[in-house]
């Protein structure tokens, strides 16, 4: 009984922290309509700053708390609202969601940049020098008591703010109808600003309170928000009392699993994955309300031409061959994933671009494909690649079955929970047997990967694998373009526009979602298998949720409806590694680039690929510039193979020639404009036109 009470007190103190963080999440959502995926990252940054002030610089605790909670946290919340969220407020739900995901990824990258993740940073609990409080058979530390008292104070303060003050009423009304709020004389911008400031302060309080009990790690602290997500979902993203109740369930569940989970090699990961499992179950069991402030401003997805897609596919293969022949062995290992990770990014196009289904577990599907290839294709069996695609597709279809109940942010939460369960539990399992069949995943270590054997030819070198990945990306791009032009592709677009209308007109929602989830997961599984071949050895950490966020961001930046997004995303994600080769100190800059680019999404919601296509289309149509470019590239390639020039000269020279010829082609195809001639000089300074008669008549009547 004493042990039961002890774990119960620990669970309640942890629940109090989840309640504080979750209440800040609900506050932001209720008042702004934005589900902040970066809410936990704000608490993580506050915890690091608090450690820096108190331990790193020796500041007194009260001064450090005042600076973090009254200066830094409000400033951070104000900056997020003003710089990041206000520009995308007019956009749809998906764009706002992506912005917070970018903020989460950027905050983790910034924390790792500023504070070396290899240096331990223990943080002392509050009032650690005071004796614990005896409660019969159990004891309560002063830190635990303080945590529970803070949670009660936060609950009372938020209830009073939202229900008994004009500011609270203004905050709740803003998300429902901003225009109507303005007509009443209220200021919706001020309401959003207050919500972001308070929400960030609550995240900071939670981060500081939980930091002494866990490792001060950027990813771990940021993903503690999964437990707060679960508490918020218990409250249906609107009820603070239910959010606190959900926090108690999550906190006690974690504590009792720690104390009573049997000693079994298959169960340790279950405790770590329990909040994510509970989040997924809560999403399934609780009927979710209509999304607050939901918007349906969708970006158009035009059908690509097959001629243009074939040219793009050939260009992709050519690009792969060019890189494979001019790069050295070390560079091939660094830049080889351009095409394999590009395939993973391409998997977002049919799923999110065509069908409008937001998924954050595509890299996990890639991990499944890599594992299947690693075990079944250990000797290069070509059929194992098809098995990797099939097994990953089956996993995607399995996810789609419960996802029928989800949409928008709830679907993003559900797939994020799946990714966390996979990387914290399933991928960490040792090998096991099912009906006499041995199943091994990462087997608590790494999986060695080999290249395939095709027609008796073994593809083992980095150059050969890069060309293979380029060919697979080209074929996958052709398949995705054909899908968009097919009847099923048109049905997916209709599904994205309105699920209710799609079902009303006779569409089968379950079949459509299962098919598109399976298809996209299969594409991701192909990319994961190729990525594993290029890496030669893979671990579970390479396919976790945090590792997948930058790829998702780069794919969104490229444009989820563009077939060329795969090549763009792979190049944009891997290409900046060239900076690391020039200067090793740029590694942190490179890791932050996807997040920074994602934060600029509001300026180009349709994606960069469509802009690239418009800018370079004149070059593709020009009968002079295009042959000159191809000839220059061929000449540079030959000179590089002959070691007359190096790879950098070829790269820079190709870019300079391409940009110059693009400008030349655009100037040649620009519409010819002539200066405006006054009506009395028409027919003298330029030929007379029939339309000039009407202009002359209007001028005469006016005079």
């Amino acid at each position: 009984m004493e042990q039961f009470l002890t774990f119960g007190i620990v669970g309640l103190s942890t629940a109090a922290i989840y309640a504080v963080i979750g209440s800040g999440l609900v506050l932001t959502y209720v008042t702004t309509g934005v589900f902040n995926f970066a809410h936990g990252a704000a608490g993580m940054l506050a915890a690091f700053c608090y450690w820096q002030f108190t331990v790193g610089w020796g500041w007194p605790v009260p001064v450090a708390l005042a600076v973090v909670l009254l200066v830094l946290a409000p400033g951070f919340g104000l900056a997020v609202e003003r710089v990041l969220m206000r520009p995308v407020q007019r956009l749809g739900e998906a764009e706002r969601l992506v912005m917070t995901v970018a903020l989460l990824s950027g905050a983790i990258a910034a924390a790792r940049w500023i504070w070396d993740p290899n240096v331990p940073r223990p943080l002392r609990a509050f009032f650690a020098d005071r004796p614990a409080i005896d409660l019969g058979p159990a004891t309560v530390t002063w830190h635990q008591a303080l945590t529970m008292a803070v949670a009660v104070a936060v609950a009372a303060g938020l209830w009073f703010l939202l229900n008994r003050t004009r500011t609270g009423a203004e905050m709740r009304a803003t998300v429902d109808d901003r225009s109507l709020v303005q007509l009443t004389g209220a200021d919706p911008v001020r309401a959003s600003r207050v919500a972001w400031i308070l929400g960030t302060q609550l995240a900071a309080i939670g981060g500081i309170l939980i930091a002494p009990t866990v490792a001060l790690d950027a990813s771990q602290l940021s993903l503690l928000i999964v437990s707060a997500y679960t508490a918020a979902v218990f409250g249906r993203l609107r009820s603070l009392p239910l959010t606190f109740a959900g926090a108690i369930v999550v906190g006690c569940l974690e504590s009792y699993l720690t104390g009573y989970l049997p000693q079994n090699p298959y169960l340790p990961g279950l405790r770590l994955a329990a909040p994510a499992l509970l989040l997924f179950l809560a999403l399934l069991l609780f009927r979710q309300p209509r999304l607050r402030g939901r918007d349906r401003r969708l970006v158009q997805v035009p059908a690509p031409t097959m001629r243009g897609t074939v040219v793009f596919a050939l260009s992709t293969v050519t690009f792969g061959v060019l890189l494979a022949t001019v790069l050295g062995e070390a560079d091939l290992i660094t830049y080889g994933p351009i095409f394999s990770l590009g395939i993973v990014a391409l998997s977002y196009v049919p799923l999110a671009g065509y069908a409008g289904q937001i998924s954050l577990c595509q890299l996990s599907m890639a991990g499944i494909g890599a594992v299947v290839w690693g075990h079944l294709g250990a000797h290069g069996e070509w059929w194992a690649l098809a098995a990797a695609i099939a097994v990953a597709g089956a996993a995607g279809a399995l996810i789609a079955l419960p996802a029928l109940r989800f949409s928008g942010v709830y679907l993003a939460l559900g797939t994020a929970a799946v990714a966390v369960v996979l990387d914290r539990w399933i991928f960490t399992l040792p090998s096991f047997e099912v009906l006499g069949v041995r199943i091994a995943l990462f087997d608590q270590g790494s999986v060695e990967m080999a290249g395939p054997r095709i027609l008796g030819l073994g593809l083992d070198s980095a150059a050969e694998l890069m060309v293979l990945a380029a060919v697979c990306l080209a074929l996958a791009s052709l398949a995705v373009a054909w899908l968009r032009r097919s009847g099923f592709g048109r049905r997916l677009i209709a599904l994205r526009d309105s699920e209710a209308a799609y079902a009303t007109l006779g569409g089968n929602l379950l079949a459509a979602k299962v098919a598109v989830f399976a298809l996209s997961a299969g594409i991701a599984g192909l990319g994961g298998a190729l990525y594993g071949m290029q890496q030669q050895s893979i671990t579970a950490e390479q396919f976790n949720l945090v590792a997948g966020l930058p790829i998702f961001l780069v794919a969104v930046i490229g444009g989820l409806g563009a077939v060329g997004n795969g090549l763009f995303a792979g190049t944009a994600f891997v290409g900046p590694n060239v900076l690391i080769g020039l200067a090793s100190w740029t590694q942190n800059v490179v890791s932050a680039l996807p997040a920074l680019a994602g934060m600029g999404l509001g300026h180009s919601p349709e994606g960069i690929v469509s802009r690239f296509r418009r800018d370079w289309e004149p070059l593709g149509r020009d009968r002079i510039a295009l042959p000159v470019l191809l000839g220059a590239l061929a000449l540079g390639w030959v000179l590089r193979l002959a070691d007359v020039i190096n790879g950098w000269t070829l790269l820079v020279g190709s870019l300079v020639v391409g940009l110059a010829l693009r400008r030349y082609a655009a100037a040649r195809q620009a519409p010819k404009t002539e200066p405006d001639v006054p009506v009395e000089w028409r027919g003298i300074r330029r030929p007379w036109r029939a339309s000039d008669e009407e202009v002359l008549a209007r001028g005469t009547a006016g005079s």
Side-chain angles (χ1 to χ4, degrees):
M1 186 62 182
E2 180 179 349
Q3 186 180 21
F4 181 84
L5 290 176
T6 300
F7 284 119
I9 291 173
V10 172
L12 288 176
S13 63
T14 305
I17 298 174
Y18 293 158
V20 171
I21 300 176
S23 60
L25 189 65
V26 171
L27 174 68
T28 305
Y29 183 75
V30 167
T31 54
T32 67
V34 176
F35 188 90
N36 185 12
F37 266 88
H39 193 69
M44 175 270 296
L45 289 175
F48 271 100
C49 290
Y50 176 73
W51 177 91
Q52 186 65 52
F53 293 153
T54 56
V55 180
W57 294 343
W59 289 15
V61 170
V63 175
L65 286 175
V67 171
V68 173
L69 298 180
L70 302 180
V71 179
L72 296 183
F76 183 77
L78 188 62
V80 169
E81 187 278 332
R82 179 65 183 88
V83 179
L84 298 181
M85 301 312 304
R86 195 182 301 179
V88 298
Q89 192 67 41
R90 57 182 175 82
L91 300 179
E93 177 191 43
E95 287 78 8
R96 298 195 294 266
L97 177 66
V98 167
M99 189 64 72
T100 62
V101 172
L103 184 58
L104 167 63
S105 180
I108 293 175
R112 290 174 173 172
W113 186 353
I114 299 171
W115 294 281
D116 186 355
N118 297 317
V119 176
R121 291 179 174 83
L123 194 60
R124 190 182 183 191
F126 289 101
F127 306 113
D129 53 343
R130 295 192 178 184
I133 303 171
D134 291 325
L135 294 177
T139 59
V140 179
T141 67
W142 280 93
H143 184 90
Q144 293 171 335
L146 175 65
T147 300
M148 290 184 244
V150 168
V152 173
V154 165
L158 286 179
W159 181 89
F160 182 82
L161 172 68
L162 293 176
N163 296 279
R164 291 293 184 268
T165 66
R166 176 178 174 80
T167 301
E170 185 178 282
M171 292 164 66
R172 287 185 289 111
T174 296
V175 69
D176 292 328
D177 195 323
R178 295 177 70 89
S179 301
L180 185 60
V181 169
Q182 287 178 313
L183 291 177
T184 64
D187 186 358
V189 174
R190 180 180 60 196
S192 297
R193 187 183 302 127
V194 172
W196 279 102
I197 290 174
L198 289 178
T200 306
Q201 285 180 310
L202 291 175
I205 292 172
I208 292 173
L209 288 174
I210 203 170
T213 62
V214 298
L216 204 58
D217 176 77
S219 297
Q220 183 177 349
L221 274 175
S222 297
L223 291 183
L224 283 173
I225 191 64
V226 172
S227 301
Y229 289 164
T230 308
V233 169
F234 264 83
R236 304 176 69 189
L237 298 181
R238 62 172 61 180
S239 170
L240 290 176
L242 289 178
T243 299
F244 274 71
I248 293 174
V249 172
V250 176
C252 291
L253 176 66
E254 290 183 0
S255 180
Y256 286 125
L257 283 177
T258 302
Y260 294 102
L261 199 66
Q263 297 297 320
N264 187 301
Y266 301 97
L267 294 180
L270 175 60
R271 185 187 65 81
L272 299 176
L277 277 172
L278 195 59
L279 170 61
F280 195 80
L281 291 175
L283 288 168
L284 280 178
L285 298 177
F286 298 157
R287 186 175 181 273
Q288 304 303 331
R290 179 182 66 86
L291 293 173
R292 306 296 303 272
R294 190 171 182 179
D295 203 338
R296 300 301 295 176
R297 294 174 185 149
L298 300 174
V299 177
Q300 295 297 317
V301 184
T305 63
M306 289 310 298
R307 178 179 177 276
T309 307
V310 170
V311 172
F312 170 76
L314 293 175
S315 301
T316 300
V317 176
T318 303
F319 182 46
V321 173
L322 182 66
L323 290 180
T325 53
V326 302
L327 293 179
E329 189 67 24
D331 289 334
L332 284 171
I333 296 175
T334 301
Y335 302 109
I338 284 177
F339 302 100
S340 55
L341 293 181
I343 295 174
V344 178
L346 182 66
S347 69
Y348 286 104
V349 173
L351 182 63
Y354 296 171
Q357 307 298 306
I358 303 174
S359 173
L360 298 180
C361 66
Q362 290 303 100
L363 191 63
S364 300
M365 299 298 101
I368 292 175
V371 165
V372 172
W373 170 261
H375 291 293
L376 298 184
H379 302 290
E381 294 86 346
W382 64 268
W383 54 266
L385 196 59
I389 298 173
V391 174
L398 189 63
I399 295 172
L401 292 176
L404 185 64
R405 292 178 56 88
F406 307 156
S407 63
V409 68
Y410 300 123
L411 180 59
L413 282 171
T415 53
V418 169
V420 173
V421 171
L422 286 173
D423 65 59
R424 288 187 176 180
W425 183 26
I426 304 300
F427 285 166
T428 65
L429 291 174
S431 59
F432 56 93
E433 289 190 1
V434 177
L435 300 177
V437 178
R438 181 178 178 272
I439 298 177
L441 299 174
F442 289 92
D443 207 9
Q444 298 181 323
S446 61
V447 178
E448 301 301 317
M449 308 288 283
R453 298 187 63 84
I454 301 176
L455 300 177
L457 178 64
L459 304 180
D460 296 319
S461 70
E464 293 169 341
L465 291 174
M466 174 179 273
V467 174
L468 174 63
V471 171
C472 290
L473 175 58
L475 294 176
S477 299
L478 285 171
V480 170
W482 173 84
L483 173 68
R484 173 63 184 89
R485 296 172 60 87
S486 68
F488 181 61
R490 291 190 291 272
R491 289 195 294 273
L492 290 180
I493 296 296
L495 174 68
R496 181 193 72 147
D497 291 342
S498 174
E499 292 186 6
Y502 180 84
T504 302
L505 295 176
N508 189 323
L509 282 176
L510 177 60
K513 284 193 175 185
V514 168
V516 73
F517 264 91
L519 174 64
S520 64
I523 295 174
L526 171 63
L530 293 169
Y531 176 71
M533 296 175 198
Q534 293 175 316
Q535 297 298 302
Q536 300 180 356
S537 177
I538 57 172
T539 62
E541 288 74 18
Q542 293 173 274
F543 301 97
N544 61 28
L545 174 63
V546 174
L549 292 180
I551 299 177
F552 171 70
L553 290 175
V554 174
V556 173
I557 296 162
L560 293 176
V563 173
N565 196 12
L567 181 60
F568 166 82
T571 305
F573 183 71
V574 179
N577 287 327
V578 72
L579 297 176
I580 302 177
L582 295 175
S584 59
W585 61 267
T586 60
Q587 182 174 358
N588 291 312
V589 178
V590 170
S591 63
L593 285 178
L596 294 175
M599 294 175 191
L601 177 66
H603 301 289
S604 182
E606 75 279 3
I608 295 177
V609 173
S610 60
R611 295 177 59 184
F612 278 0
R613 185 170 56 244
R614 290 194 301 267
D615 292 342
W616 290 86
E617 192 174 13
L619 178 60
R621 293 197 305 259
D622 196 283
R623 296 184 178 181
I624 297 177
L626 182 59
V628 171
L629 176 62
L630 295 177
L633 291 176
L635 177 62
W637 186 25
V638 172
L639 293 176
R640 174 66 185 91
L641 293 179
D643 285 331
V644 177
I645 61 175
N646 58 26
W648 285 107
T649 303
L650 174 61
L651 175 62
V652 175
S654 301
L655 289 175
V656 171
V657 172
L659 291 172
L661 290 174
R662 181 182 70 84
R663 179 171 295 185
Y664 168 76
R668 273 172 42 88
Q669 299 175 30
K672 304 299 181 182
T673 59
E674 57 184 21
D676 187 29
V677 178
V679 64
E680 61 268 18
W681 289 99
R682 296 180 186 181
I684 299 175
R685 293 184 177 176
R686 68 163 175 77
W688 180 263
R689 299 172 185 168
S691 59
D692 293 336
E693 295 181 4
E694 182 180 355
V695 177
L696 181 61
R698 289 179 178 176
T700 304
S703 60

